[in-house]
Amino acid sequence: MDIVGTCGKEDIVILAIESSCDETAAAVVRNGRKVLSNIISSQIDLHTLYGGVVPEIASRKHTERINQVIGEALQTAGMVLEDMDAIAVTYGPGLVGALLVGVSAAKAISFASGIPLIGVHHIEGHISANYIENKDLEPPFVCLVVSGGHSHLVRVTDYGEYEILGRTRDDAAGEAFDKVARAIGLGYPGGPKIDKVSKEGNPDAIFFPRAKVGDAVYDFSFSGLKSAVLNYLNSCEMKGIEICQADVAASFQKAVVDVLVEHSMQAVEECGINKFAIAGGVASNSALRSAFEKECAKRNITFYYPSPIMCTDNAAMIGAAAYYEYRKGVRHGYDLNAVPNLKLGEK
Ligand code: KG4
Ligand code: ZN
């Protein structure tokens, strides 16, 4: 990675590419906050057949779709490649084969056109989704990132600068949603299905544990909760009791929401920052959003959240994060590689 000095040009337009999991996505973003196009080709229907993301299939589909998705992003923005100031791409964390497709496409375009290349951290992208629809949001703020692979509570000290306050010790929040959904027969993708069915259920019907991680107040643990749901299902089966899917879903969802809200509010108060944002696929959960709305209002904290389409994987968020890297003069070389377990804050 090179630092080449900051840029003086007024409008910076970035073509961004995202392929870390099961969405092939490309977007054109102006000045980090204005989305000119946001194309997402989802593979969900395909992976639903197998009950989860199959990495090999994901990579193959990305290869088939990526050129078309990039072309569509430029066309929808009414622009050509030569109008771009940078090509941004997610290079980690994620599925290695899936990441490699986006990274290879971005490197090839950058090499052929001479347009600079910027590698972006996927979680940094999720956090930056908040800048797109909240034009007034600026660091510092506290952000809860909850997705299928990650659960992080971070203090965003500046653009692209993070201090990790807490993280999950085992399963990510989204992973817990997906596993519980499968166990109660809702299938994949679990999060949106639990969200929907919970609206018909009683969140106080069954008490599931809210795990605390003794030595780290902001850390999360969701595997015990998942086991508690599985134990409940087994004991009902053994006793011949029919489960109420909506009650189990709503009670599980409430246990997750309670923990996320409690930890986040404590972090915001202890950091002395009155701005709080959520990000990642689970941030589109309706119960989580309304719980945060209520709790933030009570404490006079300004609550920021992206619209659901900006919470789940997309390339516009990668373009938003890349803009602030571009402004700092960050450029990557053609040795940029996919880093499946890239840590937040590692560049
Ligand atoms: O951020 P994302 O699209 O991909 C990753 O980076 O992992 O997040 C996907 C995760 C999945 O686990 C999915 O079940 C969960 O986000 N999710 C939800 C909702 N929508 C997506 N979880 C709870 N409620 C939702 N409405
Ligand atoms: Zn994601």
Side-chain angles (χ1 to χ4, degrees):
M1 180 181 80
D2 295 322
I3 306 288
V4 297
T6 48
C7 120
K9 186 171 166 271
E10 246 174 50
D11 274 342
I12 302 301
V13 185
I14 295 181
L15 169 66
I17 300 168
E18 154 65 42
S19 70
S20 67
C21 191
D22 59 347
E23 326 278 357
T24 318
V28 175
V29 181
R30 189 170 63 213
N31 298 331
R33 301 215 180 209
K34 175 79 190 156
V35 178
L36 304 180
S37 65
N38 187 28
I39 310 298
I40 304 168
S41 171
S42 175
Q43 304 177 6
I44 281 183
D45 291 348
L46 199 61
H47 297 288
T48 299
L49 299 172
Y50 304 94
V53 178
V54 183
E56 269 307 310
I57 294 178
S59 325
R60 205 172 321 137
K61 277 292 152 197
H62 284 313
T63 312
E64 283 173 19
R65 292 180 182 174
I66 196 134
N67 287 340
Q68 193 195 338
V69 166
I70 292 170
E72 217 178 311
L74 287 169
Q75 197 184 22
T76 307
M79 291 187 156
V80 291
L81 198 54
E82 290 67 34
D83 297 322
M84 300 299 120
D85 294 287
I87 313 295
V89 65
T90 305
Y91 72 107
L95 301 170
V96 68
L99 287 164
L100 270 173
V101 178
V103 169
S104 306
K107 288 203 285 193
I109 295 169
S110 167
F111 184 70
S113 63
I115 300 167
L117 175 71
I118 301 176
V120 174
H121 194 294
H122 183 73
I123 300 299
E124 197 167 325
H126 274 303
I127 295 170
S128 303
N130 279 289
Y131 297 134
I132 294 170
E133 291 159 305
N134 301 297
K135 309 290 181 213
D136 61 323
L137 176 62
E138 284 182 19
F141 59 94
V142 173
C143 186
L144 172 73
V145 193
V146 269
S147 70
H150 309 273
S151 300
H152 281 94
L153 194 51
V154 299
R155 189 209 304 247
V156 182
T157 50
D158 201 347
Y159 291 107
E161 305 292 330
Y162 309 96
E163 189 189 315
I164 297 175
L165 304 170
R167 54 160 66 85
T168 180
R169 293 288 182 97
D170 37 59
D171 291 354
E175 199 178 344
F177 269 95
D178 293 335
K179 286 176 177 169
V180 167
R182 200 175 307 147
I184 60 173
L186 283 172
Y188 175 85
K193 291 189 171 166
I194 287 193
D195 192 350
K196 191 166 171 225
V197 81
S198 291
K199 294 191 168 76
E200 319 286 310
N202 172 10
D204 299 312
I206 311 144
F207 182 82
F208 291 126
R210 278 80 169 142
K212 288 219 185 295
V213 181
D215 53 337
V217 281
Y218 300 133
D219 277 3
F220 306 105
S221 167
F222 295 110
S223 76
L225 169 60
K226 175 195 67 192
S227 304
V229 176
L230 296 178
N231 288 342
Y232 172 81
L233 297 176
N234 285 338
S235 86
C236 286
E237 199 185 334
M238 272 161 41
K239 291 177 198 154
I241 301 169
E242 204 184 319
I243 65 146
C244 171
Q245 199 185 42
D247 282 353
V248 180
S251 303
F252 158 77
Q253 181 174 270
K254 184 159 187 236
V256 176
V257 169
D258 281 355
V259 169
L260 294 176
V261 170
E262 191 192 324
H263 286 38
S264 303
M265 292 299 99
Q266 191 178 342
V268 176
E269 284 177 342
E270 284 178 11
C271 287
I273 298 174
N274 68 346
K275 287 188 280 184
F276 173 69
I278 53 171
V282 182
S284 58
N285 183 272
S286 55
L288 185 70
R289 289 159 93 94
S290 51
F292 274 129
E293 236 156 39
K294 202 167 120 211
E295 294 303 318
C296 286
K298 249 198 241 169
R299 295 169 173 80
N300 224 2
I301 297 164
T302 314
F303 175 43
Y304 299 90
Y305 49 90
S307 57
I309 192 71
M310 290 290 171
C311 286
T312 44
D313 289 350
N314 67 85
M317 67 185 198
I318 303 303
Y323 169 73
Y324 295 100
E325 297 294 291
Y326 182 95
R327 292 277 304 267
K328 284 190 215 160
V330 171
R331 308 290 183 269
H332 282 90
Y334 298 126
D335 57 350
L336 180 71
N337 205 350
V339 184
N341 56 356
L342 185 67
K343 302 276 176 294
L344 191 62
E346 254 178 35
K347 302 264 162 147

